[in-house]
Amino acid sequence: MKLVIAVVQNEDADSIVESLLERQFRATRLASTGGFLRRGNTTLLIGVEDHDVETVLDVIRARARTRIRQDSAHGAVESAAATVFVIPLEDYQRL
């Protein structure tokens, strides 16, 4: 089992969660802030079986978009579409 932690832009979060739900994956959404521009993000926690990791990553790749932000003191900054961590998970229970 794996825990997929995906930090995505707020603008993409609804689309990603909807696509995950269509494929019977559940996600816990957390509001988060960080990165160079300190913009609001959404962090998704997704517990999946090992063989489903690529499917979840494909959903995120298909729905997350890179954006150019103009409001930095350093000029235009490209923000990542998503930052994803895949971590071994010892146990996962829905109670």
Side-chain angles (χ1 to χ4, degrees), residues 9 37 39 41 65-69 77-82:
Q9 296 179 42
L37 298 176
R39 290 275 185 178
N41 298 310
R65 301 283 178 252
T66 300
R67 292 180 175 78
I68 303 296
R69 304 290 186 184
V77 175
E78 185 174 274
S79 58

Side-chain angles (χ1 to χ4, degrees), residues 10-72:
N10 286 338
E11 297 92 339
D12 299 326
D14 286 339
S15 175
I16 292 169
V17 170
E18 287 173 17
S19 292
L20 290 169
L21 289 173
E22 286 172 5
R23 292 163 179 79
Q24 306 302 311
F25 297 110
R26 292 181 179 10
T28 298
R29 293 173 69 147
L30 304 171
S32 56
T33 304
F36 181 68
L37 298 176
R38 292 185 173 79
R39 290 275 185 178
N41 298 310
T42 299
T43 299
L44 303 173
L45 305 177
I46 312 155
V48 298
E49 297 294 333
D50 290 353
H51 64 271
D52 289 324
V53 170
E54 260 327 294
T55 303
V56 168
L57 294 177
D58 287 343
V59 168
I60 295 168
R61 285 183 194 109
R63 299 294 180 171
R65 301 283 178 252
T66 300
R67 292 180 175 78
I68 303 296
R69 304 290 186 184
Q70 299 293 330
D71 58 354
S72 169

